[in-house]
Amino acid sequence: MRKGPYPLSVHVGMATSSWPLYSDATEQALAIEMAGGLSKMLHGISLYQNHPYTATQPELPIVWQEGTVTLRLCAGSGTGRPVVLVPSLINRSGILDLSAERSLARWLAGQGHNVYLMDWGDVATDPTQNSMDLLVLGRLVPALQYAAQKEGRKIAALGYCMGGTILVAAAMHTKVVERYIMLAAPWDFHAEPHTLLDRMTFWAPTAQPYIAAGQPLPVEGIQTLFASLDPGQAARKFSGFVDMDQNSQKAHLFIATEDWLNDGVSLPPEIARICIEEWFFENRTKKGMWVVGGEAVRPGQIAAPFLVISSEKDRLVEYESAAALCKIVQQSELLNPGCGHIGMIAGKDSVSGVWEPIHSFLQKDFKTTP
């Protein structure tokens, strides 16, 4: 049986406490509404937890590994440009290879690209990658260089969410990447409307004891932060799951996405400190003051073309936060799809709205390359 949504008590508690905020019902009617709504939510959770579906796509072979970090190869025909996919650090790479029916990695391979799917693994368990310098210089840069060496040519790289933020730092230390795709990658952490920044400010004190003690920041705390952005989301989505045909592709995609969401990892304390203090509170990325490997991370110094994908429907990485990169890099394109943060990869419009433009960017000829 599945354990999600995780932490279960947090999601149920948030749904219960926030319900009156989203209802216009009178006090007596509200009690009836909540009882029925929460009952349906819990039924949806039970259906999810006990559903027999599992993703059936064959596991991709590992071609490179250092510590907990791996590269898996999804081979295409080789007619397209090779690309490394870099996921978020707090989630595993499964979102980029979600199911046989919805896999960005396999879809790009089907367009002819050799795709290298990176997975950070449980970084907090490996002391040799417990700082941002070690993570970038000892893991990400070597992974990019391996892919380029194996292909015998320069490559492209795609960074999703904070994987994109970290990828920009790697770009300052390697020349093997000739174009970059930033998929919902935050850069200006003080951009309006400050929704995530405000939640981070409220939540950060709970993380400080772990950082001060040199202990990994538990995944439970990270999941709680993101759940607090939309306290009623769990109630809506699991109630909606009840109404789905349980044998449909839509239901299977829902389950695969939830399985990925509930399989997050803890953060090493020093990396957690950088994310909270240097990114969110001090906004060093936007100010050009974030230093990795002794060098300030300044995207304006990167000559390679960028495709920046930022959506006004993204409730996690706000549009202006990700779009800010377009105002800094020398050569950039901005795509604003009608998809949310996860919908860019798992939503019904992800292929036409996001994947196809990514393929077009990978195929595009630029007049100058680094």
Side-chain angles (χ1 to χ4, degrees), residues 244-318:
M244 293 182 196
D245 176 352
Q246 296 295 297
N247 294 314
S248 66
Q249 182 177 330
K250 182 178 181 181
H252 293 171
L253 185 60
F254 176 93
I255 293 165
T257 303
E258 282 300 309
D259 286 350
W260 168 74
L261 280 170
N262 292 302
D263 191 28
V265 298
S266 302
L267 275 181
E270 175 58 14
I271 294 176
R273 184 197 65 78
I274 288 172
C275 293
I276 295 170
E277 296 179 6
E278 297 190 7
W279 290 3
F280 277 96
F281 292 165
E282 299 172 8
N283 203 18
R284 291 192 185 186
T285 50
K286 172 64 165 52
K287 295 175 180 178
M289 297 171 58
W290 180 34
V291 176
V292 176
E295 185 170 358
V297 181
R298 294 175 177 166
Q301 298 176 2
I302 303 170
F306 275 57
L307 172 63
V308 177
I309 305 174
S310 180
S311 174
E312 292 175 347
K313 291 191 175 183
D314 192 334
R315 301 189 68 174
L316 180 60
V317 176
E318 290 139 340

Side-chain angles (χ1 to χ4, degrees), residues 28-331:
Q28 184 175 3
L30 177 62
I32 297 173
E33 178 186 308
M34 285 181 63
L38 291 171
S39 177
K40 188 173 183 180
M41 170 191 173
L42 293 174
H43 180 43
I45 290 174
S46 178
L47 287 174
Y48 162 68
Q49 290 178 335
N50 294 284
H51 203 288
Y53 171 80
T54 56
T56 58
Q57 73 271 32
E59 194 170 57
L60 297 171
I62 294 175
V63 294
W64 178 90
Q65 181 168 5
E66 285 291 339
T68 67
V69 182
T70 59
L71 277 183
R72 295 179 181 270
L73 175 60
C74 188
S77 65
T79 57
R81 179 169 280 101
V83 56
V84 175
L85 307 184
V86 183
S88 171
L89 192 60
I90 55 176
N91 292 108
R92 302 183 192 274
S93 61
I95 190 65
L96 303 171
D97 186 27
L98 200 55
S99 68
E101 300 81 13
R102 191 59 59 89
S103 168
L104 174 59
R106 295 172 200 261
W107 186 88
L108 286 173
Q111 313 309 307
H113 307 282
N114 285 338
V115 180
Y116 294 83
L117 179 58
M118 183 176 177
D119 192 286
W120 297 102
D122 193 352
V123 176
T125 65
D126 187 348
T128 67
Q129 51 196 44
N130 61 6
S131 73
M132 192 65 75
D133 282 7
L134 291 171
L135 205 65
V136 171
L137 301 180
R139 297 295 185 263
L140 181 50
V141 168
L144 296 170
Q145 291 173 336
Y146 168 83
Q149 182 180 25
K150 184 174 176 61
E151 293 291 331
R153 58 178 294 190
K154 290 187 176 182
I155 60 172
L158 178 152
Y160 178 49
C161 194
M162 67 183 294
T165 311
I166 297 171
L167 179 60
V168 177
M172 305 298 297
H173 297 277
T174 182
K175 301 297 183 184
V176 301
V177 181
E178 65 178 356
R179 64 191 65 190
Y180 291 90
I181 302 158
M182 297 289 123
L183 180 57
W187 194 255
D188 182 356
F189 288 84
H190 289 183
E192 296 289 348
H194 292 172
T195 304
L196 185 53
L197 176 61
D198 290 343
R199 296 311 304 166
M200 177 66 76
T201 303
F202 177 80
W203 169 86
T206 67
Q208 293 303 329
Y210 294 97
I211 296 172
Q215 297 297 317
L217 184 59
V219 64
E220 293 89 345
I222 299 170
Q223 296 282 44
T224 299
L225 167 65
F226 293 130
S228 72
L229 290 170
D230 187 357
Q233 184 182 48
R236 293 194 305 273
K237 67 181 180 181
F238 283 101
S239 294
F241 183 58
V242 173
D243 298 327
M244 293 182 196
D245 176 352
Q246 296 295 297
N247 294 314
S248 66
Q249 182 177 330
K250 182 178 181 181
H252 293 171
L253 185 60
F254 176 93
I255 293 165
T257 303
E258 282 300 309
D259 286 350
W260 168 74
L261 280 170
N262 292 302
D263 191 28
V265 298
S266 302
L267 275 181
E270 175 58 14
I271 294 176
R273 184 197 65 78
I274 288 172
C275 293
I276 295 170
E277 296 179 6
E278 297 190 7
W279 290 3
F280 277 96
F281 292 165
E282 299 172 8
N283 203 18
R284 291 192 185 186
T285 50
K286 172 64 165 52
K287 295 175 180 178
M289 297 171 58
W290 180 34
V291 176
V292 176
E295 185 170 358
V297 181
R298 294 175 177 166
Q301 298 176 2
I302 303 170
F306 275 57
L307 172 63
V308 177
I309 305 174
S310 180
S311 174
E312 292 175 347
K313 291 191 175 183
D314 192 334
R315 301 189 68 174
L316 180 60
V317 176
E318 290 139 340
Y319 174 79
E320 292 294 343
S321 176
L325 272 172
C326 280
K327 301 174 183 178
I328 303 172
V329 297
Q330 296 181 27
Q331 187 175 4

